[in-house]
Amino acid sequence: MIKEKYINKISYILLSIALFLCFIIYFYNKFTPETLITPEYVNKIFNKDKVLEINIEISDENFKKLKENALQEEYVVANITINDTTINNVGIRAKGNSSLQQVSSSDSDRFSFKVNFSEYISDQNLYGLEKLVLNNMIGDTTYMKEYLSYDLIEFLGVNTPAYAFANIKINNNDWGLYLAIETLEEDFLERYYGKDYGNLYKPESNKIGDNKDKLKSPPNNKNDNKPIFQNNTYNNNFQPLNNSNTNNTFQPPNDINKKTSSMPNSPPNMINNKETALVYIDDNTSSYSKIFDSVVTKGLTEVDKNNFIKMIKSLNTGENIEKYINVDEVLRYFAANTFLVNLDSYAGSMKHNYYLYEENGIFEILPWDFNLSFGTFQINDASKVVNFPIDTPVTDSMENSPLISSLLNIEEYKNLYHSYLNDIVNNYVNNRYFENKINYLNELIYEYVKNDKTSFYTLDEYILGIENLLIFANDRAKSIYLQLNNIQPSTEYGTLETTLNLDALGHMPNDKNKEFNKNNNQNIKNNIENKIKSPNINLNNKINTLILLKILLYFLLIIISLIYVFLYKNKRFNI
């Protein structure tokens, strides 16, 4: 028997051990990254090797209401079947900004849609997904600009929404080929940042009315009628670079000189957008109401607002930038955006179509809306698109674009940004990945494009558009190579010649009375062969192997607590 005088000492020791284990578990939970597991919907809905089959069942009355009130972006009820799974009583509405206005003022009913599975039934979802958008391909003859843009951004390691082509039917009637995209809301945030995600903003300088939704295998080579797209229309002066060789041996064409035209100019009638441009105004939170009103997540605090002001102030002063900005992520985003000459974004005068994510006071930029990438917004000159300067990659002033200008003012960051541009040139374009990807996608969607009943463009326009996508990529890669090697200017437009037909890539229609109907076409040339499936480039989610240890610690804590209670009650030990 143990004397009773030792019982208190032993009890204190056991209690101390229990408290120590509680301390360990608390800090383990606080500082151990949450296990991130790819949700089921990523593979079941956004399978990039297949075209989704979506049927929207909607009453005539509700579809009429959706169309007539499209600009108000009000949900109506519908049932939706995705592949073989039907979800009833979902919310669906028109979506967009300028594209929505264009369709509303035309003779077309081909709206982009936003689908909310939980609009009418709380927590209803499909494989864990609560919302998705269906983009209508307006402004894109190729059907691929947005898909390829996300593919490039994903290639550079930036967190990217899931996406896949979708064949839409309405009440079992063929409607058209769309691009389905994961929304940057709860599901996206949990997928990349865990359940304790931070704050998400969607700055908009001029918006119709989004942000209504606050947060609570390779195909067979069978069809010989499909065209195959190759680099044979390119200027042969440009030689692909070897991936394994960082010493580039490219010799510039003899007709290239170093004289340049003027820098990018601000478009006329540029709107007042200091807030969405992230320009520092002062330390008053009221000066940034447009930003704070754009928050997508709930529960914005004064601390959060002050974190935002500290971030833009650091961009203004150039001090402690890494304390407030995820520099590497932002540079990766802008390297992709610069290659794509995507000006319907932060890089353009409107300073929109991007998200800001903040966690623990550190901000990063997230991608959104690329249907007018590949130089098809604001610049109507193919030469300027190809020669778009990499070190002043905006169409307004660099002073009005501190998120990129402040970083490029620091040589270390500028060199890192250049390394990502060089990676795109060597490992995305010149190794034929981009060409192979286009041919793979063409094989995947060609029949859908050919039979698209509501398409904005003809099949001939699609084929011509694809050919010019390849010209864009080749000539843009050439221009960036020359800029990186100081053969062409990097802060002003260069003089590299191009055969790019910019209009062939599509743009926003301006004719309000234009008929958006597809013409039949029987003149399809070129045979399909050698389809190559490009490797999927995915970010791997980490799996925490210490979960079992966590459970054991909790179990041990319970056992020790029970022993303590038993000993305290009986005042003795039997040994």
Side-chain angles (χ1 to χ4, degrees):
M1 305 290 292
I2 296 179
K3 294 181 177 180
E4 290 188 7
K5 68 179 182 179
Y6 294 114
I7 290 178
N8 286 338
K9 290 183 179 180
I10 295 173
S11 298
Y12 289 144
I13 292 172
L14 290 175
L15 181 60
S16 298
I17 293 173
L19 290 173
F20 178 71
L21 288 174
C22 288
F23 179 83
I24 290 176
I25 292 171
Y26 170 77
F27 281 95
Y28 176 84
N29 288 333
K30 186 173 181 65
F31 297 107
T32 300
E34 180 182 346
T35 300
L36 298 178
I37 300 175
T38 301
E40 194 176 11
Y41 69 79
V42 172
N43 295 318
K44 287 199 171 182
I45 298 177
F46 300 104
N47 185 340
K48 298 175 188 176
D49 294 332
K50 297 180 180 179
V51 175
L52 274 174
E53 294 294 336
I54 298 179
N55 182 46
I56 300 168
E57 297 179 32
I58 184 171
S59 68
D60 292 341
E61 178 183 356
N62 279 343
F63 195 37
K64 181 180 179 182
K65 181 179 178 182
L66 182 153
K67 292 184 289 184
E68 291 180 348
N69 300 295
L71 295 179
Q72 283 67 51
E73 297 184 318
E74 296 177 355
Y75 281 108
V76 297
V77 67
N79 300 331
I80 188 168
T81 300
I82 298 182
N83 291 335
D84 297 324
T85 304
T86 299
I87 302 290
N88 296 321
N89 300 313
V90 306
I92 185 170
R93 65 171 174 84
K95 69 164 289 288
N97 193 7
S98 58
S99 61
L100 177 55
Q101 296 181 58
Q102 290 287 349
V103 177
S104 293
S105 61
S106 75
D107 294 331
S108 175
D109 292 332
R110 187 182 170 112
F111 292 100
S112 292
F113 301 112
K114 184 166 188 175
V115 178
N116 185 345
F117 297 112
S118 62
E119 176 68 13
Y120 300 109
I121 300 177
S122 180
D123 297 327
Q124 180 171 247
N125 63 77
L126 181 59
Y127 304 120
L129 182 71
E130 285 197 8
K131 300 172 187 175
L132 81 159
V133 298
L134 302 170
N135 283 352
N136 62 359
M137 308 295 188
I138 193 169
D140 186 3
T141 61
T142 72
Y143 286 71
M144 296 183 190
K145 288 192 296 188
E146 188 156 32
Y147 187 111
L148 291 168
S149 297
Y150 284 131
D151 185 75
L152 173 59
I153 294 166
E154 200 171 21
F155 168 83
L156 286 182
V158 176
N159 292 342
T160 306
Y163 54 96
F165 287 110
N167 182 45
I168 307 298
K169 294 183 178 181
I170 294 182
N171 295 326
N172 292 309
N173 295 316
D174 291 333
W175 190 255
L177 183 66
Y178 280 54
L179 187 68
I181 306 174
E182 174 189 23
T183 61
L184 269 65
E185 297 184 40
E186 296 102 321
D187 300 325
F188 172 89
L189 293 174
E190 287 190 15
R191 182 159 73 92
Y192 282 110
Y193 305 105
K195 292 184 178 180
D196 295 326
Y197 53 75
N199 296 310
L200 185 68
Y201 304 85
K202 190 178 188 296
E204 284 290 350
S205 53
N206 183 24
K207 183 71 179 99
I208 289 177
D210 207 1
N211 271 10
K212 292 175 176 289
D213 304 277
K214 293 280 185 178
L215 296 190
K216 288 175 296 187
S217 49
N220 295 323
N221 305 326
K222 294 179 179 179
N223 193 322
D224 292 333
N225 292 322
K226 306 186 189 79
I228 185 168
F229 302 98
Q230 298 178 328
N231 287 336
N232 54 14
T233 59
Y234 292 171
N235 186 330
N236 291 329
N237 287 320
F238 188 41
Q239 299 298 322
L241 305 176
N242 191 321
N243 296 341
S244 62
N245 183 7
T246 58
N247 297 318
N248 299 327
T249 58
F250 169 71
Q251 296 298 320
N254 294 328
D255 60 346
I256 291 180
N257 58 62
K258 296 184 180 181
K259 294 182 180 180
T260 65
S261 57
S262 61
M263 290 178 63
N265 294 318
S266 302
N269 303 319
M270 190 175 71
I271 57 181
N272 183 9
N273 58 5
K274 280 190 173 183
E275 291 179 59
T276 58
L278 309 181
V279 172
Y280 175 73
I281 301 172
D282 54 40
D283 288 340
N284 298 319
T285 57
S286 60
S287 299
Y288 307 95
S289 58
K290 188 177 291 186
I291 291 291
F292 300 138
D293 290 344
S294 75
V295 68
V296 179
T297 46
K298 291 181 178 179
L300 198 65
T301 67
E302 286 300 311
V303 172
D304 296 326
K305 294 178 181 179
N306 286 322
N307 282 338
F308 174 83
I309 294 175
K310 290 176 183 177
M311 180 270 291
I312 59 173
K313 196 171 185 177
S314 75
L315 292 176
N316 181 69
T317 63
E319 298 176 356
N320 300 318
I321 290 179
E322 287 190 355
K323 185 177 179 181
Y324 304 104
I325 295 289
N326 183 345
V327 172
D328 182 69
E329 190 273 348
V330 171
L331 292 175
R332 290 171 185 268
Y333 168 90
F334 276 106
N337 204 75
T338 298
F339 174 84
L340 294 167
V341 195
N342 177 44
L343 303 177
D344 192 19
S345 68
Y346 182 87
S349 63
M350 295 183 70
K351 291 290 185 286
H352 70 160
N353 285 338
Y354 72 95
Y355 283 81
L356 281 179
Y357 176 74
E358 177 268 327
E359 186 172 345
N360 298 323
I362 299 176
F363 288 76
E364 56 190 50
I365 188 170
L366 296 173
W368 189 250
D369 199 346
F370 286 83
N371 69 307
L372 295 178
S373 57
F374 292 87
T376 53
F377 184 78
Q378 287 193 339
I379 298 182
N380 297 316
D381 185 326
S383 176
K384 287 186 175 181
V385 167
V386 166
N387 290 286
F388 194 69
I390 61 174
D391 290 335
T392 53
V394 297
T395 53
D396 53 359
S397 67
M398 290 291 279
E399 291 76 17
N400 200 49
S401 311
L403 187 57
I404 181 62
S405 62
S406 296
L407 300 186
L408 295 187
N409 283 336
I410 299 173
E411 197 66 23
E412 177 187 356
Y413 299 162
K414 188 175 182 179
N415 290 337
L416 184 58
Y417 166 72
H418 285 179
S419 73
Y420 294 137
L421 286 169
N422 189 65
D423 194 23
I424 295 171
V425 171
N426 287 337
N427 299 322
Y428 195 81
V429 178
N430 293 344
N431 69 346
R432 304 179 76 89
Y433 173 92
F434 184 79
E435 178 187 344
N436 293 338
K437 174 67 76 173
I438 283 181
N439 277 298
Y440 175 64
L441 295 179
N442 176 65
E443 173 73 21
L444 183 67
I445 70 173
Y446 181 87
E447 289 300 319
Y448 294 96
V449 175
K450 182 179 178 181
N451 297 305
D452 193 330
K453 302 297 184 184
T454 62
S455 175
F456 297 118
Y457 303 101
T458 67
L459 188 62
D460 275 344
E461 288 174 313
Y462 164 77
I463 294 172
L464 183 62
I466 298 300
E467 292 171 351
N468 278 276
L469 271 181
L470 291 167
I471 295 173
F472 172 97
N474 186 76
D475 288 357
R476 184 69 181 135
K478 184 193 304 184
S479 171
I480 290 174
Y481 173 86
L482 295 172
Q483 292 182 57
L484 289 172
N485 287 275
N486 300 316
I487 299 171
Q488 286 277 295
S490 62
T491 58
E492 299 178 341
Y493 289 115
T495 57
L496 180 67
E497 294 183 357
T498 182
T499 60
L500 174 65
N501 179 351
L502 198 58
D503 288 338
L505 295 177
H507 49 77
M508 292 300 295
N510 293 317
D511 183 2
K512 293 185 178 182
N513 297 316
K514 181 176 178 180
E515 295 264 348
F516 291 121
N517 293 320
K518 185 175 184 175
N519 299 324
N520 292 327
N521 187 287
Q522 302 298 328
N523 301 318
I524 304 169
K525 299 180 181 180
N526 302 320
N527 292 328
I528 216 55
E529 58 185 42
N530 299 326
K531 292 295 176 296
I532 303 175
K533 179 179 182 292
S534 300
N536 290 324
I537 302 169
N538 295 316
L539 297 175
N540 294 323
N541 291 321
K542 297 179 180 180
I543 297 180
N544 193 342
T545 58
L546 297 178
I547 291 177
L548 182 59
L549 176 60
K550 219 169 162 183
I551 296 172
L552 290 175
L553 285 172
Y554 279 117
F555 182 74
L556 183 59
L557 177 60
I558 293 170
I559 295 298
I560 291 174
S561 299
L562 291 173
I563 292 173
Y564 170 76
V565 171
F566 176 78
L567 292 177
Y568 185 80
K569 182 177 179 181
N570 292 279
K571 299 292 185 178
R572 64 177 57 201
F573 293 86
N574 292 319
I575 58 175

